[in-house]
Amino acid sequence: EYIVSFKGYYSGTARQRYITSALRNVKEVSWRLVSRSNPATDYPNRRISNVVNVKYDVMNGRAQTSTIGNNAENGVAALERHRLVKHVTPQRKVTRTLVSREHRPFQVPCKEGDRHCWTLNWKSRRMARQQEPVSDAESFSFRKLMKAVPLQVTSALQADVLWEMGFSGKGVTVAIFDTGLPKSHRHFKKVKERTNWTEEKTLDDGLGHGTFVAGVIASDQECLGFAPDAQLHIFRVFTNNQVSYTSWFLDAFNYAILKKINVLNLSIGGPDFMDQPFVDKVWELTANKVIMISAIGNDGPLYGTLNNPADQMDVIGVGGINYDDQIARFSSRGMTTWELPSGYGRVKPDIVTYGAAVRGSSLKGGCRSLSGTSVASPVVAGAVALLYSAVSHRSDVVNPASMKQSLMASAQRLPGVNMFEQGHGKLDLLRAYHVLNTYKPQASLSPSYIDLTECPYMWPFCSQPLYVGSMPALVNVTILNGMGVRGHIDDKPQWHPYRPQNGHHLDVAFSYSSTLWPWSGYLAVYIAVAKSAGNFEGIAQGHVSLVVVSPPQSGEEEQRVSVVKLPIRVKIIPTPPRSKRILWDQYHNLRYPPGYFPRDNLRMKNDPLDWNADHIHTNFRDMYLHLRSKGYYIEVLGAPYTCFDASQYGTLLLVDSEEEFFSEEMSKLKRDVNELGLSVLVFSDWYNVQVMQKIKFYDENTRQWWMPDTGGSNIPALNALLSQWSIAFSDQVFEGEFSLAEHAIYYASGTSIARFPRDGLIVTKTLHDQDYEVLHGAIKDVKDIPILGLYQTLGAGISYNDLNKYRRFLVLNLFILLLSL
């Protein structure tokens, strides 16, 4: 199934005519339009689904001929060539799923890490995470005076103050995209419409999640919502099995636009920022002044685990805190990963609010408690609906950007928490009302300043000073434009150094959005130390200015103009010695992959899809903190190897590389190692074709096999790179526990060394043969598995007989090969 997106709005008859025309001359491809039975069927639409039928042998699980597959590709290519078609993308089973959990213990039947608990009964990527309990040890690890859990989340945010002023959500339309709502539920007095977008023939909520979310927003009994007089439009987009498809969301989004929805809550999340039709439609929604609020995800405390669409610039992404104003452990952390590997992520979440043990409506009346960012999301959505009604007399200035600006400007900063955990801080409903009530259309920035000395809020930027010769610090700033849905930066941003504050020691460069749409854009700020700094040590300051311009609005003749300043403060130190400088290779790591990439650790069977982009500041944050604590300086390489000066660095660090290496890169690295003394550390995970075939699975919903695109690392590419030193990894997979240098180590689905120079040093251990276990279902231990190799290139003059001397040269002079430790 393929989703065909058009460049304009066309009727169903016109869309069918265009598709027929595009496929008329494509031979041996049968196709049909997917029938759509939902309220949006008869409306003009930018999108429609069609099926290109590739005959598939489901019983044997293989395509009958490669020719048929090629013909299907020809059909897609023919559609893409049509002048009115914007793009064609595969239909997807939506991996965005509900992100909340019952506030009670849950017993996990299969303990993670138990090697006797192997199964190929794969589950949805999010299901297990929703139900993971907070352990007793975590709950009672220390004694402290705890705040009482309020009976009403509305009272915790002082919504009653606005109610007493006569505001209650009246006149505001709120769309809830979830699991539905029972008919005539006594908690709701203004349900305008219930619609079903799934293939199940019901409007009711079979899970209770949609009912809970609706209650947090608009219940007027028992467990109170923020905006009880808002008109609710209930969109049932998930089945009772929590299944949904991109096309269901696209149809429902179109209908929300037609119904002129003011506020839309998505208590769902997933990693599919590369699901282009979905992302495009979210942009279209916000461009039509729909204020979208979405849960940031429940994959905390890991960094770089933000969910889509909450990670989009035009969406209000919400994280969760508990009633002690602490970031909830489950709440996903930033940065965004769209910009990797060449750029740097943006700040998200935008704000945080209560998302733990929040009370809301249950299916049959009464209240229940849930925790998760999908609970925090409707808290903000309800607050936004209430705020919207409170400034209804100023509706001309209320839009997705101005509402987001007001929430962020009024948020309370949480102490001791960085910006990738809290965004701009905790929701403050009353302060947001005062900001929005006096708001003047303007542009603003997120973050509003760059202070590389302010820890912990500006982590990781504040954790390492800059110096001459270092890779530029790259801070990705979001531009919010409350003046209009479209705008641009006039001329270009300007750097204004403060000479008395040593600003002339900084070189500042930019890249930025050519167009700000919808309501937003980016400003990437590259900060480097000028050569004139020499041995300077101290603080350098200045600011960046930019002018944002938007077209005049109704009744206006002149363009709208907003001048924005971005203060910058940086700590500069003398350049550290080469031996202390480590270069992390980000360029050869994938961002979120578009296909099935299995976990690095094959034991993670309940959550097999690896969607976290590797980065030294996200999933390898602990490594970064450890290296910094030992006095090393870590810089990030977002370009090919031909773009850095190896004489400045002691070590190049490659971790789970997935991309290929250019021949020019391989040649340069050989020179860097052999002639310039650059050390290279390589961490590699497993790669085994038979294992990849074994862990494929058939998805009944999408009617296709999911085959891994690669293993934990791209070992063929790494072997090509390392062949210059007669080094190669094997395709075997091993697992086990051992000690090394008095440290206990768990070797999680790593490979072994297949070839290594005779004059190198090899460390071997006894491990479980994991590929044998996966393929044959039996456990086998193997002795003397080479897992770590150290090789001294010619000219360094080191003797392996002296281990103390070896340790001295470990980072500076050695070519080192490390595996998945």
Side-chain angles (χ1 to χ4, degrees), residues 341-604:
S342 56
Y344 199 87
R346 289 170 284 107
V347 175
K348 283 278 183 169
D350 296 305
I351 58 172
V352 294
T353 193
Y354 301 120
V358 173
R359 297 173 76 246
S361 302
S362 63
L363 265 177
K364 297 181 180 180
C367 302
R368 61 190 291 211
S369 292
L370 287 178
S371 295
T373 54
S374 71
V375 175
S377 180
V379 169
V380 173
V384 166
L386 180 57
L387 289 169
Y388 205 123
S389 68
V391 295
S392 58
H393 60 290
R394 308 190 71 232
S395 60
D396 57 320
V397 302
V398 179
N399 56 56
S402 64
M403 183 63 74
K404 187 173 180 177
Q405 288 171 324
S406 300
L407 294 177
M408 295 192 305
S410 60
Q412 296 181 14
R413 178 81 62 83
L414 299 178
V417 180
N418 71 56
M419 61 185 178
F420 290 131
E421 294 178 300
Q422 66 168 314
H424 288 257
K426 171 190 170 184
L427 170 67
D428 189 322
L429 181 59
L430 297 186
R431 288 181 64 188
Y433 164 69
H434 291 296
V435 172
L436 193 59
N437 199 36
T438 58
Y439 176 83
K440 294 181 179 180
Q442 60 189 277
S444 65
L445 305 175
S446 174
S448 58
Y449 64 93
I450 298 174
D451 186 347
L452 305 193
T453 69
E454 183 186 1
C455 272
Y457 183 70
M458 282 280 172
W459 190 93
F461 303 107
C462 63
S463 63
Q464 180 171 297
L466 296 185
Y467 41 86
V468 174
S470 66
M471 291 289 175
L474 172 54
V475 184
N476 207 333
V477 177
T478 298
I479 305 171
L480 293 173
N481 180 20
M483 298 183 296
V485 65
R486 181 180 294 274
H488 68 274
I489 295 176
D490 190 39
D491 195 11
K492 61 182 179 180
Q494 299 291 328
W495 164 240
H496 305 273
Y498 300 161
R499 184 164 288 273
Q501 285 77 39
N502 308 302
H504 58 286
H505 288 321
L506 296 178
D507 289 333
V508 180
F510 317 97
S511 61
Y512 51 91
S513 303
S514 57
T515 300
L516 307 179
W517 184 91
W519 311 103
S520 58
Y522 72 88
L523 170 67
V525 183
Y526 301 80
I527 307 171
V529 178
K531 292 182 179 180
S532 61
N535 294 321
F536 172 79
E537 183 170 5
I539 303 299
Q541 299 183 68
H543 78 266
V544 174
S545 67
L546 60 151
V547 178
V548 176
V549 177
S550 283
Q553 301 300 299
S554 177
E556 298 177 347
E557 295 182 358
E558 296 184 356
Q559 292 181 324
R560 291 185 167 189
V561 179
S562 181
V563 179
V564 185
K565 290 185 178 182
L566 179 72
I568 294 179
R569 191 170 191 264
V570 176
K571 181 179 180 180
I572 299 175
I573 63 170
T575 302
R578 179 188 182 191
S579 60
K580 289 294 184 180
R581 295 178 62 181
I582 298 174
L583 190 61
W584 166 280
D585 178 10
Q586 187 64 39
Y587 184 75
H588 294 96
N589 287 338
L590 289 175
R591 60 179 184 173
Y592 168 70
Y596 169 24
F597 279 59
R599 289 283 182 180
D600 295 340
N601 184 355
L602 288 171
R603 287 287 168 203
M604 300 179 71

Side-chain angles (χ1 to χ4, degrees), residues 239-314:
T239 68
N240 289 334
N241 293 324
Q242 297 191 35
V243 172
S244 189
Y245 289 89
T246 297
S247 61
W248 296 355
F249 273 92
L250 302 185
D251 282 339
F253 284 156
N254 281 324
Y255 193 65
I257 294 172
L258 291 165
K259 289 295 181 177
K260 300 187 184 301
I261 295 297
N262 300 132
V263 181
L264 192 155
N265 181 78
L266 280 174
S267 284
I268 61 171
D272 289 330
F273 60 75
M274 297 183 76
D275 188 356
Q276 196 60 50
F278 189 97
V279 172
D280 283 352
K281 190 57 66 174
V282 170
W283 287 337
E284 188 178 342
L285 272 165
T286 59
N288 281 273
K289 297 189 70 172
V290 178
I291 301 171
M292 181 178 287
I293 298 96
S294 186
I296 208 69
N298 284 355
D299 294 289
L302 297 177
Y303 282 72
T305 54
L306 301 171
N307 283 200
N308 179 265
D311 60 351
Q312 293 187 211
M313 289 185 286
D314 54 324

Side-chain angles (χ1 to χ4, degrees), residues 462-741:
C462 63
S463 63
Q464 180 171 297
L466 296 185
Y467 41 86
V468 174
S470 66
M471 291 289 175
L474 172 54
V475 184
N476 207 333
V477 177
T478 298
I479 305 171
L480 293 173
N481 180 20
M483 298 183 296
V485 65
R486 181 180 294 274
H488 68 274
I489 295 176
D490 190 39
D491 195 11
K492 61 182 179 180
Q494 299 291 328
W495 164 240
H496 305 273
Y498 300 161
R499 184 164 288 273
Q501 285 77 39
N502 308 302
H504 58 286
H505 288 321
L506 296 178
D507 289 333
V508 180
F510 317 97
S511 61
Y512 51 91
S513 303
S514 57
T515 300
L516 307 179
W517 184 91
W519 311 103
S520 58
Y522 72 88
L523 170 67
V525 183
Y526 301 80
I527 307 171
V529 178
K531 292 182 179 180
S532 61
N535 294 321
F536 172 79
E537 183 170 5
I539 303 299
Q541 299 183 68
H543 78 266
V544 174
S545 67
L546 60 151
V547 178
V548 176
V549 177
S550 283
Q553 301 300 299
S554 177
E556 298 177 347
E557 295 182 358
E558 296 184 356
Q559 292 181 324
R560 291 185 167 189
V561 179
S562 181
V563 179
V564 185
K565 290 185 178 182
L566 179 72
I568 294 179
R569 191 170 191 264
V570 176
K571 181 179 180 180
I572 299 175
I573 63 170
T575 302
R578 179 188 182 191
S579 60
K580 289 294 184 180
R581 295 178 62 181
I582 298 174
L583 190 61
W584 166 280
D585 178 10
Q586 187 64 39
Y587 184 75
H588 294 96
N589 287 338
L590 289 175
R591 60 179 184 173
Y592 168 70
Y596 169 24
F597 279 59
R599 289 283 182 180
D600 295 340
N601 184 355
L602 288 171
R603 287 287 168 203
M604 300 179 71
K605 298 177 289 295
N606 287 338
D607 200 4
L609 302 182
D610 189 356
W611 59 278
N612 296 331
D614 292 333
H615 195 281
I616 192 67
H617 296 149
T618 57
N619 54 335
F620 286 95
R621 178 174 180 265
D622 289 344
M623 175 191 286
Y624 174 80
L625 294 175
H626 180 74
L627 290 172
R628 285 293 297 127
S629 70
K630 299 301 180 181
Y632 292 100
Y633 296 82
I634 299 90
E635 302 171 35
V636 177
L637 176 67
Y641 291 166
T642 52
C643 297
F644 78 93
D645 180 2
S647 66
Q648 300 297 312
Y649 298 93
T651 305
L652 175 67
L653 185 57
L654 285 73
V655 179
D656 294 350
S657 301
E658 292 110 351
E659 293 284 15
E660 302 286 334
F661 298 89
F662 301 121
S663 59
E664 294 84 356
E665 290 182 289
M666 293 191 285
S667 299
K668 180 180 182 294
L669 186 61
K670 184 176 181 179
R671 293 193 302 271
D672 291 343
V673 170
N674 294 346
E675 300 174 14
L676 299 179
L678 178 70
S679 295
V680 181
L681 279 75
V682 183
F683 291 77
S684 177
D685 279 298
W686 65 274
Y687 183 97
N688 183 289
V689 175
Q690 289 181 308
V691 170
M692 287 189 281
Q693 292 175 340
K694 181 70 174 181
I695 64 175
K696 69 179 181 181
F697 62 93
Y698 186 74
D699 186 347
E700 293 288 350
N701 297 291
T702 58
R703 297 177 294 279
Q704 64 180 352
W705 283 97
W706 284 50
M707 176 73 74
D709 292 334
T710 187
S713 294
N714 189 342
I715 286 183
L718 284 171
N719 283 348
L721 179 70
L722 300 176
S723 64
Q724 303 174 107
W725 295 276
S726 299
I727 295 174
F729 293 108
S730 76
D731 65 350
Q732 293 179 285
V733 188
F734 295 98
E735 177 215 31
E737 297 178 353
F738 57 86
S739 61
L740 185 67

Side-chain angles (χ1 to χ4, degrees), residues 743-798:
H743 292 283
I745 293 173
Y746 173 54
Y747 198 85
S749 302
T751 186
S752 62
I753 299 174
R755 186 171 67 250
F756 208 74
R758 289 189 177 184
D759 56 345
L761 179 66
I762 289 287
V763 176
T764 64
K765 293 293 177 180
T766 298
L767 296 169
H768 309 309
D769 189 336
Q770 197 171 28
D771 58 285
Y772 185 86
E773 180 184 355
V774 172
L775 298 175
H776 304 288
I779 297 174
K780 181 175 69 173
D781 289 345
V782 183
K783 295 182 179 180
D784 299 326
I785 302 300
I787 60 165
L788 188 151
L790 306 105
Y791 176 57
Q792 173 65 54
T793 55
L794 297 176
I798 182 172

